[in-house]
Amino acid sequence: MGNQFSSFDDYERYAQDPKSALQLALEYIKEHEKDLDPRNPNLAVVRVHARNLLIQAIARSTKEAAERSPPTLQALTQDTAGSLLNLDEETRSFWKNYVDIRDKANISEPGESYDFIIVGAGTAGCVLARELIKKIKRISILVLEAGPCDAQINDKIHAPFDASALWGTSGCDWGYRTQVQKMKGTVDPNRTVTNPSFAFPRGKVWGGSSSTNAMIYMRGQRHEYDKWAAQGREYHEIWNWGKCLEAFKETESNARPEPDAAFQSLHGFDGLLHVQDSNNGIYTVMQDVIDTAKKLNIPENIDFNGSTQNGVGKYQVTMKDGRRWSFADGYLNDALKNKIEAHSKPIGDLQSGKYVAVLNGVNVKSESRVTRILWGKNKGPNGEAIAMGVEYIYQGEKYKVHLNPDGELLLSAGAINSPQILMLSGIGPTAQLQNAEIKTNIEVLVDLPVGRNLWDHPLCTVTASIDRPTMQTDLHAWSNGPEVAIFHKGEEHGKIPDKAHFDNEKPDIQHSCSASIFDQSIANPPDPKVAPFSGDGFTLAPVLNIPESIGWLELKSDNPIDPPKIFVNYYDKPSDLYRMMSAVKLARKLIRSMNPSLNAKELGFKDKYGHWQSGNEMTDEEYENYIRAKTYTSFHPCGTTKMAPREKGGVVDHHLRVYGTKHLRVVDASIFPEIPSGNLNAPTGMVAWRASTFIIEEYKKRTGLQ
């Protein structure tokens, strides 16, 4: 039977007799259905011809259809076919399983279509593309990335020491800034204080922020993921710690030499994200930090991703052989190695009988900025908005690309861009979408709290000079910058933490320590009369890992090119300010406690680089002024399309499906219900890997694939 369906001419010959063509189609499917993927070229063409033949038969059977020239696909449904033709049960089954399901595509415009459209080639998008193409046979995937291929700026991206040079560049950073915010003071509520605006780097390149970050591999703490799972039984089944740990291990390829049994039980060694200890050791001054911290009764920790996170120790980093290793290096590149296959697809009018070869595989379109989601004209059975594709801009021109009927749109554009795309597409707060002040008039399809629940890790800097070689005078090309960390519990009244805080196994402060200077008011003073610091210096950067203050996003306008307004809302809650204050005080104590021979001296508190301290001791109000002025982002935004029950402020459900829609999910850090205590690259990859498992399962179930 297969040879009879080997060419287009064969189909045309059979099509002369609708009855025999339908019979041949049924026999062919009976014979080959168990062995064929629904997108097999032969079966695909059989579907198209059988559908067209049935449509033609219906048209001949009714006055209404006869008046159409040609009959429109949308006007013909399964029920119409059943009522107008004397179809036996076998034919009805054929229509339902092989014809009508394709008719529901409702693709109103010609152009490309894919089984999966992934918006964003960042951490999550790279994982999704690879997992889907490797685990589902013969599918087509389009990845739309607003930035360039990482090879375009290979030198800076893959040289670990040069990460900061990537921030603020138009080539691979979105160039966002936060909004200035005024609020009541924490120490003195009768005083108005200001959180200044600062740069908010987000990766716009293959690999996303995994191509521009500091390469720190950190997962967070078990109890934080248990909170995700505690939102309901269905959440527990997918997001309990055991499932999350499985995903962390599946994505990780850890190169630690001679790991002990405890390390082996908690880490992966066969994943595609390479993780290693520092390639050639750390700066001597960083070892001095570790030694001093231990003298202050801070316990040593050789694995921050082990059973406990508290203590002082060395970071592991996402590098291989001293070179950055992003999720694009590991996952997207592997996806692009997949074998390319082809199947036939009709083009033009349904009656044309013309076909085009469609390649199955992963297609990445760089510098293609998605502006909005395309929706079907009809609603789902429960009134859902049905995602049909996206509109995007490439080289100044607008294009549209559509989903195949069983496909899905996966938003993986990150915690800023995913909510912006949703809001521009009619999914979000009515107050934002219909706002006279910013002149938005976007039709509200689903009112959801998109853009709320913006979490981030505030980072403050404490700088010191030292008589040791640092990056200023002895550049280590393999160094990622922050090489050492200290995790401890913050003191909630702003006092210096003690041993109880150091031993607490649920720390909320992370000091990122680097043999370089983060503070630009010291490295590049704004006053031209003050020369930049040119000696050897290092940074202790306390990070508030479990903040209580939560920010939000707003649309600036309904123009998709306008960046959204970012309100980080740092230190809105007094406990945040006081815990950060305690961490800054500890950092200063550590500097003063270093071996006197190192001549470590703090910078920027009471000198030409800053006058924040008026007397011998710094007051709490002066600490607040210093902290607010010296705080900026750790580059860890998340939570803006929260995964939670809808009645509890959720935007997506436990399977990351956007409420009130069909064929649409968000898969990136924006779905985090709460922020993990640590760097977010690894958790984002974990979420994408977990999501891929149920996306694949559901797709196979819908299509009957094995």
Side-chain angles (χ1 to χ4, degrees):
M1 180 68 69
N3 289 335
Q4 291 177 290
F5 289 82
S6 60
S7 71
F8 176 75
D9 290 338
D10 290 334
Y11 294 112
E12 287 295 286
R13 195 163 59 249
Y14 297 133
Q16 300 304 314
D17 180 1
K19 184 175 180 180
S20 63
L22 179 57
Q23 186 62 35
L24 282 169
L26 290 169
E27 291 177 9
Y28 181 83
I29 289 169
K30 276 185 178 181
E31 182 178 345
H32 295 280
E33 182 176 13
K34 292 182 180 179
D35 302 320
L36 290 176
D37 181 279
R39 285 171 180 73
N40 176 281
N42 287 338
L43 186 54
V45 179
V46 169
R47 275 190 188 153
V48 173
H49 276 270
R51 173 179 61 191
N52 289 346
L53 294 169
L54 287 173
I55 290 174
Q56 292 166 7
I58 295 170
R60 290 193 297 270
S61 302
T62 66
K63 285 184 180 180
E64 294 86 352
E67 292 172 357
R68 304 187 186 101
S69 181
T72 61
L73 179 61
Q74 290 81 357
L76 302 171
T77 65
Q78 179 182 343
D79 291 337
T80 305
S83 62
L84 297 179
L85 290 177
N86 185 23
L87 301 177
D88 57 26
E89 191 59 34
E90 191 172 38
T91 307
R92 289 175 185 272
S93 177
F94 172 80
W95 177 278
K96 179 179 179 181
N97 294 324
Y98 297 98
V99 180
D100 184 63
I101 189 169
R102 285 289 175 180
D103 291 349
K104 293 177 181 177
N106 193 32
I107 296 176
S108 57
E109 297 184 33
E112 297 174 88
S113 65
Y114 293 83
D115 298 305
F116 290 95
I117 299 174
I118 300 172
V119 179
T123 292
C126 291
V127 174
L128 287 172
R130 191 268 177 186
E131 294 302 304
L132 295 178
I133 200 64
K134 294 292 183 179
K135 296 176 182 177
I136 307 177
K137 295 179 180 178
R138 291 183 288 277
I139 59 167
S140 56
I141 299 174
L142 173 64
V143 182
L144 290 168
E145 167 54 45
C149 171
D150 56 348
Q152 184 169 317
I153 34 182
N154 177 63
D155 54 345
K156 292 187 180 297
I157 284 180
H158 289 105
F161 71 91
D162 212 18
S164 61
L166 300 167
W167 307 334
T169 63
S170 59
C172 57
D173 179 19
W174 282 93
Y176 294 135
R177 293 193 66 85
T178 63
Q179 298 294 304
V180 175
Q181 285 185 269
K182 294 185 180 297
M183 58 183 67
K184 291 182 179 179
T186 298
V187 177
D188 180 5
N190 295 316
R191 190 170 68 105
T192 298
V193 295
T194 301
N195 286 348
S197 172
F198 51 79
F200 205 75
R202 306 306 306 143
K204 188 176 73 170
V205 63
W206 284 25
S209 293
S210 77
S211 291
T212 64
N213 65 6
M215 293 154 278
I216 296 167
Y217 183 78
M218 195 69 62
R219 297 173 178 173
Q221 302 173 50
R222 171 176 180 162
H223 69 91
E224 294 159 351
Y225 298 102
D226 286 338
K227 290 177 70 175
W228 293 16
Q231 297 185 96
R233 180 180 56 82
E234 62 274 26
Y235 291 85
H236 184 270
E237 291 175 355
I238 296 173
W239 300 105
N240 67 73
W241 171 244
K243 296 289 189 181
C244 292
L245 179 59
E246 175 194 14
F248 278 124
K249 292 169 70 174
E250 285 288 337
T251 54
E252 179 186 10
S253 179
N254 202 297
R256 174 162 290 184
E258 300 181 2
D260 59 22
F263 192 93
Q264 291 182 50
S265 69
L266 293 171
H267 289 272
F269 303 90
D270 299 312
L272 299 180
L273 180 67
H274 287 282
V275 179
Q276 65 171 54
D277 298 312
S278 181
N279 198 59
N280 292 303
I282 61 175
Y283 279 93
T284 306
V285 65
M286 291 293 97
Q287 186 60 54
D288 294 329
V289 169
I290 293 175
D291 295 341
T292 305
K294 289 164 68 175
K295 290 178 182 178
L296 295 177
N297 292 317
I298 299 174
E300 187 171 15
N301 192 331
I302 62 171
D303 181 14
F304 294 126
N305 298 299
S307 57
T308 59
Q309 193 185 51
N310 61 299
V312 60
K314 303 171 187 176
Y315 282 126
Q316 282 205 300
V317 290
T318 52
M319 293 166 58
K320 184 182 181 185
D321 301 327
R323 176 182 182 271
R324 176 193 293 276
W325 192 266
S326 71
F327 273 94
D329 292 316
Y331 279 83
L332 188 56
N333 286 348
D334 195 59
L336 293 171
K337 294 176 184 176
N338 212 59
K339 180 181 178 181
I340 301 297
E341 300 174 323
H343 70 273
S344 298
K345 176 186 174 184
I347 59 174
D349 186 86
L350 289 171
Q351 313 299 326
S352 69
K354 297 179 180 179
Y355 299 84
V356 64
V358 177
L359 296 179
N360 289 329
V362 177
N363 189 12
V364 184
K365 294 192 176 184
S366 302
E367 300 180 336
S368 299
R369 182 169 181 166
V370 171
T371 56
R372 66 184 178 97
I373 298 167
L374 302 176
W375 304 103
K377 294 180 180 179
N378 300 320
K379 299 288 186 180
N382 297 309
E384 303 98 333
I386 301 176
M388 306 298 292
V390 294
E391 177 184 85
Y392 66 95
I393 297 174
Y394 174 70
Q395 294 186 346
E397 297 291 333
K398 285 186 178 181
Y399 298 88
K400 293 180 180 179
V401 62
H402 296 87
L403 287 169
N404 288 334
D406 295 315
E408 291 193 58
L409 173 59
L410 307 176
L411 283 186
S412 299
I416 306 301
N417 293 76
S418 284
Q420 183 188 27
I421 291 169
L422 286 175
M423 288 190 282
L424 291 170
S425 305
I427 308 295
T430 299
Q432 275 291 292
L433 276 55
Q434 299 280 328
N435 189 305
E437 183 178 343
I438 58 174
K439 299 179 181 179
T440 56
N441 186 25
I442 302 168
E443 180 185 0
V444 181
L445 299 179
V446 189
D447 191 323
L448 292 172
V450 175
R452 312 306 294 180
N453 198 55
L454 172 61
W455 296 79
D456 192 21
H457 290 143
L459 176 150
C460 189
T461 57
V462 177
T463 311
S465 62
I466 196 165
D467 290 344
R468 285 282 201 195
T470 63
M471 277 192 175
Q472 279 70 37
T473 59
D474 182 23
L475 180 63
H476 293 179
W478 63 84
S479 176
N480 64 304
E483 296 178 326
V484 167
I486 303 171
F487 286 86
H488 65 84
K489 193 77 171 176
E491 207 286 325
E492 59 187 20
H493 300 293
K495 298 178 181 179
I496 298 176
D498 57 24
K499 190 175 186 305
H501 297 94
F502 302 149
D503 292 340
N504 193 306
E505 294 185 356
K506 292 184 178 180
D508 54 13
I509 298 291
Q510 171 185 349
H511 296 254
S512 273
C513 311
S514 174
S516 62
I517 294 178
F518 292 179
D519 191 337
Q520 291 302 298
S521 67
I522 297 173
N524 295 290
D527 186 347
K529 297 179 182 178
V530 178
F533 178 77
S534 58
D536 284 305
F538 67 99
T539 299
L540 305 180
V543 178
L544 184 61
N545 265 358
I546 306 179
E548 293 184 7
S549 306
I550 302 174
W552 67 92
L553 300 179
E554 294 180 1
L555 290 176
K556 184 178 181 181
S557 72
D558 57 10
N559 183 342
I561 305 303
D562 283 342
K565 295 180 179 179
I566 302 171
F567 297 87
V568 290
N569 212 33
Y570 292 163
Y571 309 123
D572 178 58
K573 303 295 184 183
S575 66
D576 288 355
L577 190 283
Y578 282 116
R579 285 182 292 147
M580 178 61 84
M581 188 185 299
S582 78
V584 171
K585 290 179 179 179
L586 176 63
R588 298 184 75 186
K589 180 179 179 179
L590 189 148
I591 292 169
R592 294 166 182 167
S593 302
M594 297 183 82
N595 191 311
S597 66
L598 301 178
N599 197 28
K601 296 180 180 179
E602 61 186 23
L603 297 171
F605 283 91
K606 195 178 180 181
D607 54 31
K608 63 181 179 180
Y609 299 113
H611 295 278
W612 302 98
Q613 179 176 327
S614 57
N616 291 331
E617 296 293 331
M618 201 163 173
T619 68
D620 282 358
E621 190 167 306
E622 288 174 332
Y623 267 112
E624 178 173 5
N625 293 338
Y626 177 89
I627 289 168
R628 291 186 183 275
K630 300 289 186 179
T631 290
Y632 56 96
T633 179
S634 292
F635 322 122
H636 302 159
C638 62
T640 47
T641 66
K642 180 180 178 181
M643 175 183 67
R646 188 169 182 176
E647 64 273 15
K648 295 183 179 180
V651 174
V652 301
D653 68 8
H654 57 292
H655 276 178
L656 311 188
R657 297 169 295 209
V658 178
Y659 289 116
T661 72
K662 291 179 73 67
H663 310 317
L664 174 62
R665 301 184 207 242
V666 181
V667 185
D668 56 32
S670 67
I671 67 93
F672 293 4
E674 296 184 12
I675 193 167
S677 56
N679 307 67
L680 298 193
N681 191 35
T684 304
M686 177 277 289
V687 162
W689 192 92
R690 285 292 303 130
S692 73
T693 62
F694 50 74
I695 292 171
I696 291 167
E697 180 182 356
E698 292 175 20
Y699 183 81
K700 288 182 176 181
K701 185 177 180 180
R702 286 196 305 272
T703 59
L705 297 177
Q706 298 300 317

